[in-house]
Amino acid sequence: MLSHWNRRRLTTMICFVGVCSTFDGFEAAARPAAATTTSVAAEVVQLTNAERGRSGRARLLANARLMRAAQLHAEQIARAGEMAHVLPNAAYPRAEDRLAAAGYDWQTFGENLALGQPSPAEAVRSWMHSRGHRSNIVSPAFTELGVGYATDRAGRPYYVQVFASPSSS
């Protein structure tokens, strides 16, 4: 049977080991969790619709097929390590190829790409400060949106927005 003094030393030792062994856990808990593709895409959709609202435009509907087309390209450009609307050696080199692969019949479409922004808010902010990208975001011609997100081997983030209006047929 343990004496009062020995129980106290044992309890102190257990607490010390418990604190030391979980210290890395505290540090890890303080770091932000890695962004998931789904959460990044949802945030970009929300931020894009907020910008459209400020411009007096209707909200874009998130479309699963456009999400797939955007994700295809985000993964392709991250794998290639380059930001380009057309990747001649990729499985789906052009936006039209990605839209077809995702099964989306379009009447009109547009695409925005961003590389290196540390957050969805920064990506949308940079697009809004570029005339051509801003034009896609606030265009009344588009009714639906898809967003893709991927990182390359170095951890650099790639963002893709695909805007479209479906074919009426």
Side-chain angles (χ1 to χ4, degrees):
M1 190 163 159
L2 292 174
S3 70
H4 176 69
W5 176 251
N6 285 339
R7 272 187 267 158
R8 203 171 182 183
R9 279 186 17 198
L10 180 61
T11 302
T12 303
M13 188 60 132
I14 290 171
C15 288
F16 178 74
V17 169
V19 168
C20 288
S21 67
T22 60
F23 184 75
D24 285 341
F26 292 135
E27 190 175 281
R31 289 189 300 260
T36 65
T37 300
T38 304
S39 67
V40 169
E43 189 172 349
V44 171
V45 169
Q46 183 269 323
L47 292 166
T48 300
N49 278 325
E51 292 295 346
R52 285 179 65 87
R54 280 191 272 286
S55 296
R57 300 286 186 230
R59 297 176 59 80
L60 296 170
L61 300 174
N63 178 285
R65 291 175 190 225
L66 290 178
M67 291 290 203
R68 178 71 185 132
Q71 189 60 36
L72 283 171
H73 198 45
E75 291 170 5
Q76 287 185 150
I77 60 179
R79 203 169 23 257
E82 67 178 275
M83 188 172 70
H85 290 283
V86 177
L87 288 175
N89 298 320
Y92 308 101
R94 300 172 310 122
E96 294 90 333
D97 301 319
R98 297 183 287 277
L99 289 165
Y104 188 86
D105 293 322
W106 53 275
Q107 177 181 5
T108 186
F109 74 86
E111 182 177 74
N112 284 350
L113 307 179
L115 163 62
Q117 289 78 1
S119 69
E122 287 296 319
V124 173
R125 188 174 297 116
S126 70
W127 285 323
M128 290 303 292
H129 286 96
S130 162
R131 196 173 86 181
H133 295 107
R134 178 183 170 77
S135 176
N136 279 341
I137 289 173
V138 300
S139 174
F142 301 130
T143 58
E144 297 178 331
L145 173 64
V147 175
Y149 171 78
T151 56
D152 64 16
R153 281 175 261 178
R156 295 181 306 171
Y158 292 77
Y159 302 85
V160 176
Q161 288 180 309
V162 178
F163 304 88
S165 288
S167 173
S168 50
S169 55

